[in-house]
Amino acid sequence: LAADSDDPEIRFRARQVLKRVEGGNVGNAGNAVVGYILHHRIAGLVQPLLEYMPHAGDDSAYGLTARAVRLTATKDDLELLRKAIDDGPAFRQAACVLALAQVQAEAAIDELVPLSKHGEPAVRLAAAEALANLGSRAALPPLVRLLDDEDSAARARSAQLLRNFTHNRFDYVAYGDPEDRAAAARRWRQ
């Protein structure tokens, strides 16, 4: 798609990315294309973005690509997003959960609630975050459950979302001692 664009800059960068992806070396060219897509909010590129995502290279590039998926997805991409949520790596599933919520807004709540109980922590966190972003109180139980997650990053993000949503702190420290975390998490549960 991007390689056939009317825009010569997009065509050039897309071809560079495709060459590097085939060779296993994506580098800065891929990030430049994703950045351009994101900056100009070019719709219709969710499929290539999802295909590129495993080759993004590092957390920063993955985050940029996930953000591009979220902010360029349209109603035409809903089936693709749902399919990617059902199958694939957790980081791609999580990006698609957030994109689904971005596209559907409140209409996504019924799909997000079961995803907040998904087997993958990244997907659970994305669903809970999407619910919180939509202002749904359905975000609270999964966010509180995530305070006990094995992944410290998931605990930290969950605590941040809970603080933003409820305006309470309860002295929860995601990297603190397990006993201190448990005591603070109990206060969130009340």
Side-chain angles (χ1 to χ4, degrees):
L1 263 164
D4 298 324
S5 171
D6 291 336
D7 187 317
E9 177 72 14
I10 292 175
R11 278 196 313 273
F12 171 77
R13 295 213 182 261
R15 288 188 184 114
Q16 293 296 319
V17 169
L18 291 173
K19 284 181 193 173
R20 290 181 183 199
V21 167
E22 288 169 3
N25 179 16
V26 178
N28 291 332
N31 295 338
V33 171
V34 173
Y36 186 88
I37 291 166
L38 182 57
H39 178 73
H40 294 284
R41 305 278 169 104
I42 301 171
L45 297 177
V46 169
Q47 178 69 43
L49 286 167
L50 292 176
E51 289 172 7
Y52 167 73
M53 198 175 278
H55 306 286
D58 61 24
D59 287 345
S60 175
Y62 156 72
L64 181 71
T65 308
R67 189 166 173 238
V69 168
R70 187 178 83 242
L71 296 177
T72 63
T74 68
K75 290 183 190 240
D76 294 336
D77 298 311
L78 287 174
E79 286 311 308
L80 174 63
L81 294 171
R82 288 182 180 113
K83 206 178 227 183
I85 290 167
D86 287 341
D87 187 39
F91 62 86
R92 190 172 75 188
Q93 291 174 307
C96 291
V97 166
L98 291 168
L100 180 85
Q102 181 80 24
V103 171
Q104 287 197 294
E106 287 80 17
I109 290 174
D110 289 341
E111 289 181 76
L112 294 170
V113 170
L115 290 170
S116 72
K117 298 172 186 161
H118 195 275
E120 289 289 338
V123 176
R124 288 194 305 267
L125 181 58
E129 181 172 349
L131 288 164
N133 289 343
L134 294 170
S136 172
R137 294 192 60 77
L140 296 174
L143 286 173
V144 170
R145 281 192 304 271
L146 282 161
L147 294 175
D148 296 325
D149 201 89
E150 290 179 16
D151 180 16
S152 60
R155 291 193 308 263
R157 182 68 180 140
S158 179
Q160 178 185 30
L161 290 164
L162 279 166
R163 288 179 192 122
N164 292 344
F165 195 80
T166 66
H167 306 289
N168 290 316
R169 292 194 56 81
F170 294 122
D171 296 323
Y172 181 87
V173 179
Y175 304 98
D177 292 327
E179 299 83 28
D180 294 338
R181 285 196 326 257
R186 277 193 297 279
R187 289 191 292 276
W188 281 108
R189 286 183 181 88
Q190 295 174 349

